[in-house]
Every structure is written in C-alpha cells, then in structure tokens.
Amino acid sequence: MTARIVADGNRREEPAQGAPLLSLRGLVKHFPVRRSFLSNETFSVKAVDGVSLDVPPGKTVGLVGESGCGKTTLGRLAIRLIDPDAGGIFFEGREITTLAGEELRRLRLGMQIVFQDPYSSLNPRMRIRDIVGEGWLVHGIAKGKALRERAERLLMRVGLPADAADKYPHEFSGGQRQRIGIARAISLSPRLVVADEPVSALDVSVQAQILNLLRDLQDEDGIGYLFVSHDLRVIRHMCDIVAVMYLGVIVELAPAADLFREPLHPYTRSLLSALPMAGGGRREQIVLAGEIPSPIHVPPGCRFHTRCFMSKPSCREQEPALEERCAGRFVACPYA
Amino acid sequence: MANVTGANSLFLDTARRLSRNRLAVAGGAVILVLAVVSVFPTFFSGADPSRIDTANMLASPSSVHPLGTDKLGRDVLSRMIHGAHISLQVGFISMGIATAIGLLMGLCAGYYGGWADAVISRFIDVMLCFPSFFLILSVIAFLGPSIVNIMVVIGLTGWMGVARLVRAETLSLKERDFVAAARAQGAGDGRIIFRHILPNALAPVLVSATLGVAGAILVESGLSFLGIGVQPPTPSWGNILTAGKDNIESAWWLSLYPGLAILVTVLGYNLLGEGIQEAVDPRLKAR
C-alpha cells in the first residue's frame, strides 16, 4: 500500500497511468463525546482510526463491516463532507485534504454521494428538477428552461418519467426516490461516487434494479464507486475490490473474487460463514462471541481479539499491521 | 396544471386537516372578519370616531349608537372598529419584527454553532430574564408612547421564543442528508440556510407567529389601558377600555365591548394557531 502513495509534489500533472482515482492515506477521525454534563472527562469515538485505501478509476471498491465500524464516516471523509483529524486524501493525484472555499466547491464537480435513506436525502420542499439541478445552478452550468430540460433528460436516464421534474419528493416511492438521489449524484458527471448503503433501505426486489442502474451508469460514464454496505450479497454483486472494516480499521483488503473464495482474516471468515455458498454447499458456521466492542474503548492490541476464535495471548499486545500476503491481498492478522 | 399538483397536495393535506378542526375554523373566521373590518373601517362605521357630541354623553346602546357613546358622546362602535385597525396593525407588525429577528438569530445559532450559538443563546437567556411587560413599560415611558415605538419595542422583546424554536429546528435539519447532499453539490452556506433549512423550519414558526399576534395585541391593550400605549384621541381597544372604567357603574358598555373584543380576538388567534400546529404535525394531537 505505502508503495503507491502519490507524492504531493505533482499536483498539476495528469495522474499517471494506473494511478488511483482516490487515495486515502492513514485517515483518522475521532468524534469527541463528553461522558456527562458535569464531568470534564472527554472520550472520543474512534470512528476511523488510520485507514489507507485506493479507488481505481471506473472500478468499485466495497467497504463492508458491522454497523458502527466507521464505514459511513470513511465515505464522508473521502469526499470532504467531514474533515479528517489526520491523514491525507488524494483525488486524481492531487492532495485535497485541506482544500477550502472556492477550490473545495470546484472539487465537488468531481465527487458525489448517494445516501442510504431516500427519505431524508431529498428536501421535501423542493421540486425534483431543483433537487437534481442544484449543482448546475450553483456552478453556473444551467438555469431556468435549460435546467429544466437537462433535468428531464437526466431523470429519463435513471429510469424516471420526464414529468417527474415538476413533482415533489413525497410523490415517489423509496426506489424512485433513490433514483432521484442517483440522478443528483451523477448530474455533475463525477468521476467518483460514494454510495453509502444505497440499497439497504429498499425492498429486495427494488434493490436489484437500483444496483443494476448503478452498474449501467458506471459502464457508460466510467464512474469509480466507493461502495459502502453491510450486506455481503450486495458487495459480492457490485464490487471489484473489497475492504473489510472492523472498529475503524481495515482488517482485510482483497479483490472481491479472491475474498469471497478464500477469506483470510478470522473476522472476514466469520462474516462469510453466514453466507450460503455459490455451489450450494455450506461453510462451517463461525459464530462470534459477544457484541462489537464500543469504539470509545477500543481493545488494546488486535481490535478483534476479544471475539476472535483464533485469539492467542500475543494478540492483546501488538496491533497487527495490514500486510500484503500475496498479490493484491492484504490482511491484518499474522496467524491468518 | 400538472406542475402545481405537487405543491398543492402537501398544502391541501394540511388545509384539509385544518378545516376539520372546528375550533380552528371558528378562530380563523373571527380573524378574517376582523381583518376585513380593520382594513375598511370607514365602510363599516357610519359615524366619525372622533366626533364629540355633548348632547349624547354616556348614551346607552340604541339604534343610533348600537354600542352606546362614551363620556364625550363619541360613538363606541365606530371607535371600536377604528381601534381594531390599530390593534391588529400593532399585533401584526410587532409579530413581524419579532419573527424576523427570531428567524435570523435562530438560523445563525443553529447553523453555525460554536461561539455564535453560545453568544446568541446566552443573549436569549438574558432577554428572557427581564419581565418583558415591565421592560416594555419602562422603555415606552422613556421613549414616549407612539404607535411606532410600541410596535418596535414589542417586536424587540418578543423574538426569543421564535429564535429558540428555529435554533432547535435548524440543529436537527442541518444533520439531515439533504443538507449534506447540497453541500456535496457545492452549495454555499447562504443557499443551504435559505433554500434548504428555512423552508423546512417554517411550519412551527407560523404557529408561533399566529400565537405571537395574540400576545402582541394583549400587550398593546395592556399598555393602552395603563395610559402609555396608543394615545387618545386615536382609538385602540385598550384605551377605550381604560376610558370606560371611570364610568363602569353607570355605563358598563364602555368597558364590556372592548374587553370582549380583545378576548375574542386573542382567543381566535390562539385557536387558529393551535389548529395549524395540529394540522402541520398530526402527531401532536395525541398529547
């Protein structure tokens, strides 16, 4: 991983061939929480605790993990919706960690997000054309009649009727609303879209339609996705590369095919053991003991040792680094 | 037209719930009648409200003077109708001032947080510490009673409720995904505040503004009753009431009707305000 760090110096140059679209380097985000109103002790939720990850152009990188493992926070860090406490974010070879003001606004043209909840992600007081066309308006790309026409074309592209442009969000179903959210995300022709659990609020029958729409758009426009999900079936369907997160760190990173065929990290193995196998056979079920520990009090050493079925005494002492095991496969466990 | 159905169905839904609430409809009807009367006072009252008729002082209600006359022989009905204009004007404008300040303060505190929130919130606390009626009394006593002063002072002392309401709404709205989406699209703070947060925070403000009109009318009546509100000969319900109290034993109508007018108006606004609240947020009815 470290070998692929993009140097800060070449920010004006075109990214080299094969260079990642997005690079995250050692990202850290802690949210301070105060225990009680009267005490001054402060704790912090270590939502993202040192994550490095690359998204190649036109590919889909999946982020999978239990709720509270920091995947949503990482997605929002990647497109600068929240600011990291440490680490670097590089987009198309250029460091964007501290961009602000007009530069940050212009950066928004290249990276967008699709949200999990199709209800809270659309402003109930705005017409659909104003929702999907907001980017055009604020960047001076189109307004008035031109905006309306572009909005109608865009809506048809995501499989909605053109007259949806004049309606309000409450007139649509969850799946249709998610199409509107996707239309908004692609309205500025971004190279990167963070899909934050884009189908987990939808019915299974609608999930497939939305996933196929996302894939079609990727094929047509070459969009790179950072695809956040807790649903392994969705990840397997969508992703080229999968990163497994546990308590704010990546514990395994591998091409999707390899990961699903042969998971290495004990956490990944336990997650996958819950999935039915492609051939109809069955893996041995690995049932993890206990709950995921609080991200406020992260266990010392390997974060997973409290629930690991392979845990050894040494696991409590030193946190294992994410190391390359074989080509493209990274694991943070010395015993895997 | 196809493109209005969307806007309307959200609005119509609320309107339908409101129209099923009989008390709110009654309150709304009272306000509507008063509004029409106060906008065209001369149309509804034949008599000149300032014409002194010493031959008919303290006349009891009759066909010529339906609500009698006061101690200078002026027609009480006519004075009441012209007074409605003043009272409603004071109510609306001071509520408008209070709502505008409250919106601005609440949006700033809620959206920017940090020290802006700390400063504004403490300022609200300080303002709430003053017993507002006595604050108004002393300021008016100092500046002199004029309708403009009264409206401004009532407005400047009545914005804290709106500000707190808007601050709380803003705090919750700014965490919603559509605000994050707007930021991701490249929208600036001003656009996010006025296009995304404000329209979604307006419903409770509307309710509080409606109740605020009632409160402002009461304060104005109180000030006028104490003699430092609207000054005679300009009629307002408060000063008609206070002029009547000297003769309450012989001419009860002088005090009864302005009192009733204040009661009915304030009740009307409160009923309408609560009706809107329930219509906008049906869950509140369960309370």
Side-chain angles (χ1 to χ4, degrees):
Chain A
M1 290 285 280
T2 38
R4 280 189 281 154
I5 290 184
V6 181
D8 190 15
N10 60 352
R11 62 175 64 168
R12 285 282 151 219
E13 290 167 29
E14 284 288 298
Q17 198 64 35
L21 174 69
L22 173 79
S23 284
L24 310 177
R25 285 293 167 266
L27 276 192
V28 175
K29 180 71 188 180
H30 292 180
F31 294 103
V33 278
R34 199 186 284 179
R35 226 334 176 15
S36 81
F37 183 69
L38 292 172
S39 85
N40 260 335
E41 294 176 272
T42 49
F43 293 88
S44 57
V45 173
K46 297 167 182 71
V48 174
D49 211 11
V51 168
S52 299
L53 184 67
D54 288 343
V55 179
K59 298 279 184 199
T60 303
V61 174
L63 264 183
V64 69
E66 286 166 277
S67 2
C69 71
K71 34 187 211 304
T72 292
T73 305
L74 187 63
R76 295 194 179 201
L77 283 170
I79 59 163
R80 290 292 319 277
L81 271 181
I82 50 181
D83 292 328
D85 295 330
I89 308 164
F90 300 83
F91 183 64
E92 298 179 324
R94 168 179 177 227
E95 170 146 30
I96 60 163
T97 323
T98 55
L99 282 192
E102 189 54 31
E103 275 192 304
L104 179 61
R105 259 169 41 82
R106 230 172 306 126
L107 174 75
R108 307 292 193 197
L109 289 163
M111 39 173 51
Q112 285 297 320
I113 180 165
V114 175
F115 293 93
Q116 170 173 15
D117 180 358
Y119 291 89
S120 104
S121 67
L122 305 180
N123 184 343
R125 308 267 167 202
M126 277 169 81
R127 287 178 200 281
I128 304 307
R129 63 162 183 266
D130 296 322
I131 291 174
V132 300
E134 181 156 39
W136 300 330
L137 195 66
V138 299
H139 292 284
I141 295 168
K143 60 178 182 180
K145 197 151 173 277
L147 184 144
R148 184 208 180 90
E149 280 164 12
R150 284 182 78 131
E152 287 176 355
R153 279 204 301 277
L154 179 64
L155 289 169
M156 288 196 279
R157 222 186 135 199
V158 297
L160 289 171
D163 66 9
D166 292 320
K167 296 184 177 169
Y168 282 81
H170 72 271
E171 297 173 66
F172 296 92
S173 68
Q176 288 173 318
R177 282 165 160 255
Q178 203 56 307
R179 286 177 191 270
I180 295 165
I182 291 168
R184 171 175 59 197
I186 62 165
S187 67
L188 295 169
S189 309
R191 276 87 72 203
L192 173 73
V193 168
V194 172
D196 183 6
E197 305 255 13
V199 296
S200 51
L202 305 176
D203 292 343
V204 177
S205 56
V206 182
Q207 285 188 354
Q209 297 171 12
I210 296 296
L211 293 176
N212 290 336
L213 172 65
L214 286 169
R215 285 188 109 162
D216 292 345
L217 293 171
Q218 181 171 51
D219 291 344
E220 291 160 24
D221 291 3
I223 302 169
Y225 288 128
L226 181 59
F227 196 95
V228 178
S229 181
H230 66 270
D231 188 333
L232 289 162
R233 295 166 308 138
V234 171
I235 291 281
R236 179 158 62 184
H237 183 68
M238 289 296 290
C239 298
D240 302 300
I241 298 164
V242 179
V244 181
M245 277 187 85
Y246 187 80
L247 278 180
V249 295
I250 292 179
V251 295
E252 181 162 4
L253 175 71
D258 297 343
L259 184 109
F260 281 98
R261 195 184 58 243
E262 194 203 356
L264 297 178
H265 194 279
Y267 179 61
T268 319
R269 284 170 59 190
S270 68
L271 282 184
L272 292 194
S273 77
L275 270 189
M277 272 170 64
R282 229 178 137 67
R283 283 190 186 90
E284 190 192 339
Q285 282 267 0
I286 304 168
V287 181
L288 290 182
E291 291 283 310
I292 185 165
S294 156
I296 297 175
H297 304 287
V298 173
C302 174
R303 287 158 201 247
F304 187 57
H305 84 257
T306 53
R307 300 165 79 195
C308 185
F309 55 93
M310 295 167 39
S311 173
K312 294 184 172 42
S314 63
C315 293
R316 292 152 202 248
E317 264 128 57
Q318 203 185 350
E319 180 158 13
L322 191 64
E323 286 169 339
E324 186 154 18
R325 194 56 53 89
C326 50
R329 301 208 60 173
F330 298 83
V331 188
C333 178
Y335 307 109
Chain B
M1 265 170 66
N3 63 347
V4 265
T5 51
N8 280 356
S9 65
L10 195 69
F11 173 75
L12 282 178
D13 231 33
T14 312
R16 191 154 10 91
R17 275 198 296 274
L18 188 60
S19 67
R20 269 196 235 116
N21 184 336
R22 281 192 211 141
L23 285 175
V25 170
V30 167
I31 292 164
L32 195 68
V33 169
L34 276 168
V36 172
V37 167
S38 69
V39 170
F40 308 105
T42 42
F43 183 78
F44 288 94
S45 67
D48 179 348
S50 312
R51 203 182 73 89
I52 295 171
D53 180 2
T54 44
N56 275 315
M57 292 190 297
L58 298 176
S60 47
S62 65
S63 56
V64 191
H65 302 294
L67 300 185
T69 63
D70 66 6
K71 61 187 169 192
L72 296 175
R74 296 175 295 193
D75 182 49
V76 172
L77 176 63
S78 172
R79 288 185 68 71
M80 293 265 305
I81 287 173
H82 284 81
H85 181 78
I86 302 289
S87 292
L88 293 186
Q89 185 190 355
V90 170
F92 268 96
I93 295 181
S94 45
M95 176 276 294
I97 295 172
T99 306
I101 299 174
L103 274 175
L104 217 61
M105 293 281 196
L107 285 169
C108 279
Y111 186 76
Y112 291 105
W115 65 266
D117 185 22
V119 168
I120 292 172
S121 294
R122 293 300 79 75
F123 185 46
I124 290 172
D125 292 344
V126 169
M127 289 296 290
L128 285 171
C129 286
F130 293 109
S132 70
F133 192 76
F134 291 98
L135 181 67
I136 295 169
L137 266 182
S138 36
V139 173
I140 294 291
F142 188 70
L143 291 178
S146 77
I147 294 180
V148 174
N149 284 352
I150 290 168
M151 292 189 300
V152 170
V153 171
I154 294 177
L156 288 179
T157 52
W159 54 270
M160 293 82 75
V162 180
R164 281 193 162 170
L165 206 64
V166 173
R167 174 181 172 272
E169 283 288 312
T170 307
L171 280 178
S172 101
L173 285 168
K174 77 169 176 179
E175 300 300 331
R176 300 273 282 277
D177 284 345
F178 64 77
V179 170
R183 190 166 299 125
Q185 294 271 304
D189 285 350
R191 192 177 163 79
I192 289 173
I193 291 174
F194 290 107
R195 285 284 285 156
H196 293 275
I197 292 178
L198 180 60
N200 287 291
L202 274 184
V205 174
L206 183 67
V207 175
S208 116
T210 312
L211 300 177
V213 173
I217 289 174
L218 269 182
V219 171
E220 183 274 324
S221 303
L223 287 175
S224 299
F225 182 79
L226 293 176
I228 59 166
V230 177
Q231 294 299 299
T234 309
S236 97
W237 292 344
N239 66 29
I240 301 172
L241 190 66
T242 199
K245 76 174 191 305
D246 301 334
N247 304 88
I248 196 156
E249 280 153 27
S250 54
W252 49 267
W253 55 89
L254 285 181
S255 299
L256 178 68
Y257 293 115
L260 274 180
I262 295 168
L263 173 78
V264 169
T265 309
V266 169
L267 200 62
Y269 275 102
N270 283 338
L271 290 176
L272 181 68
E274 278 171 21
I276 295 174
Q277 188 156 34
E278 277 173 17
V280 167
D281 190 351
R283 283 166 301 173
L284 284 175
K285 199 157 191 180
R287 168 179 68 130

